[in-house]
Amino acid sequence: MSASARRHTPCSALTTLTGCPASLAAPARRRWLRTGALALAAAGMTFASVSGYAAETIKIGLVTALSGQSARAGDALTRGMTIAIDEINASGGVLGGRKLELVRRDDEGNPAKGVLAARELIYKDKVAVLFGGLDTPVSMAIVPIANQEKVPFMGPWAAGTPITRNGANPNYVFRVSAVDEIVDGAMVNYAQQTFGAKKLGLILVNNPWGESNEKGIVAALSAKGMKPAAVEKFEANDVDVTPQLGRLKAAGADTLLMVGNVGPSAQVVKSLDRMGWKVPIVSHWGPAGGRFTELAGPNAKTVHFVQTYSFFGATSPVSARVVAALKAKYPDIKGPDDITPAVGVANAYDAMRLTALAIDRAGSTNGDAIRAGFYKIDRYEGLIKTYVKPFSEQQHDALSAQDYVWAQFIDNRIVPVTAAGAKVAAK
């Protein structure tokens, strides 16, 4: 080929992706690069989209409290999901090589802000699956959007019974967490077996989460032929609940069943201190979500609360791997003591791994296909337990009462309750 012919030989559109031959003159290369770019643009593509098409990430959204009193719990959810995503991506991703990407939004524990965050993640960020969050009222506000938009909504913390049992058909809401209705029965049983409780007083936050638990506790007591000694409510921003506690004491309550997040639960303990009333407290897991020991003071250790997992005790290959990954990624984690609240990390880790399996079973990122993919999970050896067909059309909660453990704060660490711990709470 003559030099003249080579000068007039155009680069093909394909060649422009990697550059024209060096023998072409610079003006010709620029001209044909522009031509190739225009051709790709006409086809709705760019150089970046061509090179990155096969590696396009699948976005997973998380709406949770990332600030305020419960920020530590939101961080635990983030860490659990991140470790799971790192593992999944390192092993090849999902759907034949696509990586997962976590996108977070702060709901500040506020339902209205949670709804705005969920809408942004669904409509703007185009998440394939939405995770959230800590607070039952926030999750309850998001549920109708998830079902309407056919975006699977995975709950790794909020325990309100109606979150998953929401009446929608089809139902896009799944959960790897505690369920109020089951926790309530467990709280009653634990109070009776550990403290010999005969007259249980209820002290509950005045919101949908409190209402969900009041219904469940009353039903659990009724099944035993019992009634609450009294039921008292408090607001999330109350700084003194001695009037409510005074009425519970006057009603003869010998053990308190408590439902509330970090701040108000701490106020219950401090109010009891002011009254000088030493009464056992059996709690939902609200105190585990943040700075409970700092806010409640020395008697924080007397509160026994439910958890779905503890990193203390016998280890499994999965727990050893997760602890090692947490220590490697987060400098503040030196061992199990530092993984707090453990329930947030564990629930989020297992929920993310199960979600990845559902996406693979779906064969796509279509919301309805992923919903059906959850039902196709046969078995997964997780952190909390080995899951065997964890989800079905009738069952969207992967954990049961057999997966609960009881814990307390010792030196700002969440540890399983011991016989000594039970004696401390009973004094």
Side-chain angles (χ1 to χ4, degrees), residues 254-269:
D254 58 17
T255 305
L256 300 183
L257 300 186
M258 181 172 70
V259 177
N261 282 331
V262 177
S265 293
Q267 295 303 331
V268 170
V269 174

Side-chain angles (χ1 to χ4, degrees), residues 244-256:
Q244 297 95 315
L245 293 171
R247 290 190 288 270
L248 287 169
K249 185 177 183 181
D254 58 17
T255 305
L256 300 183

Side-chain angles (χ1 to χ4, degrees), residues 28-41:
R29 287 201 303 271
R30 288 195 295 268
R31 182 170 63 253
W32 289 109
L33 279 168
R34 287 196 298 271
T35 302
L38 289 171
L40 288 171

Side-chain angles (χ1 to χ4, degrees), residues 58-61 126-130 150-152 359 365-367 370:
I58 296 172
K59 292 182 179 179
I60 306 295
K126 308 295 184 183
V127 298
V129 178
L130 182 64
K150 299 182 178 181
V151 175
I359 293 172
T365 57
N366 173 271
I370 295 173

Side-chain angles (χ1 to χ4, degrees), residues 180 184 204 208-218 259 284:
D180 283 344
D184 296 332
L204 315 169
W209 187 35
E211 293 168 8
S212 172
N213 283 280
E214 180 181 4
K215 180 179 178 182
I217 294 171
V218 169
V259 177
H284 210 307

